[in-house]
Amino acid sequence: AEVRTLSVGLILLIVAGLLVLLGVGQRVLDKLRLTDKQALLFIALIIAGGFLPEIPLGGGYFINVGGALIPLGLCAYLLVRCQSWQERLRALIASLVTAVAVYAIARFSPDEPEAIWIDPNYLYGLAAGVIGYIFGRSRRGAFIAGVLGVILMDVWQGIELRMNGIDQAVHLGGAGAVDVVVISGLLAVMLSELIGEILERAARGSNPRGREFTGGEIIKEGRRK
């Protein structure tokens, strides 16, 4: 089951890498403030990191390089590249909301995977992607919320285990978490791009005098940063 789950994440990352090489999605990369080379580097690091040994953090916590460490680094980079502190704050709040929502889904889902019509990992990824888009607003905010929300949920589950006196190893980004992170991040950006493009076209059509829809707001061209 683990191989099947990991293979889905790898396939999605490889497809994303091929699209970047073909020049598809350049607009999305521009919104994320990523170059083609940077995007390909992060994709390669996530794939390669998934095959590396997990790094012990102490206290029974372990972090997977490809499933958590590299995605966290990418989120930190995107936070730095945000245009304003308001966008950073929205992204962080959206990440917390995403973490709570995914935790609730995991908590109240049936214990038997056979009782769910979809693999739980895919369900978490889809839910995180949608919620990340709704609350993240911008492309960067949506991606950060989708990815960081999933990782925060893993951290909280580990804390909860300790609070209940359960001495169990916590693997951040391990097992099927790569799938969850990849699905949530990509879906959040795809939704943001699709709906954002529709809103931008509508804004340009109804506000032809130098106005633009960007970062979740309609702004005048003179206010661009």
Side-chain angles (χ1 to χ4, degrees), residues 39-63:
L40 290 172
L41 176 61
F42 277 114
I43 290 173
L45 288 175
I46 291 174
I47 293 175
F51 295 99
L52 296 176
E54 293 184 339
I55 301 174
L57 300 177
Y61 282 85
F62 297 84
I63 188 169

Side-chain angles (χ1 to χ4, degrees), residues 95-111 116 120 123-125 127-128 131 149-150 152-154 156-157 160:
S95 300
L96 291 175
V97 173
T98 301
V100 171
V102 176
Y103 172 81
I105 293 173
R107 184 69 179 269
F108 298 105
S109 295
D111 294 331
I116 308 176
L123 179 61
Y124 303 153
I131 296 167
V150 170
L152 286 175
M153 189 272 288
D154 277 346
W156 172 249
Q157 283 190 324
E160 188 178 41

